[in-house]
Amino acid sequence: MGTTPVTIRASDACGAARRQLERTEKGLKQVAVAAGFGNVDVMRRAFVRLLGITPRRYRELADHSTGE
């Protein structure tokens, strides 16, 4: 069975959120809304389901990898 439209949309939104978490200092709420999730809880569930990590932890790791 193929990938569902809902999964594709969540994956695209995760990508947009990941870029913002890596490149900006925006708060999680701002990132969630800008990426199309609507709220932080929906973004968090999508991150955990698709990436196995929370958005906050993702940002911490991204900051660490860039030496910040």
Side-chain angles (χ1 to χ4, degrees):
M1 179 156 251
T3 305
T4 67
V6 172
T7 301
I8 293 169
R9 185 180 180 303
S11 180
D12 290 347
C14 273
R18 285 174 31 215
R19 286 186 293 279
Q20 289 184 56
L21 291 168
E22 293 167 2
R23 300 174 187 168
T24 73
E25 297 295 321
K26 290 180 183 177
L28 293 179
K29 182 177 179 180
Q30 289 176 298
V31 170
V33 171
F37 285 109
N39 67 60
V40 176
D41 291 333
V42 174
M43 180 173 74
R44 184 181 187 287
R45 286 192 301 268
F47 262 67
V48 170
R49 186 177 79 246
L50 295 172
L51 305 173
I53 193 169
T54 66
R56 184 178 312 276
R57 184 69 178 136
Y58 183 88
R59 175 174 267 166
E60 291 170 357
L61 292 172
D63 287 347
H64 181 70
S65 71
T66 61
E68 294 180 14

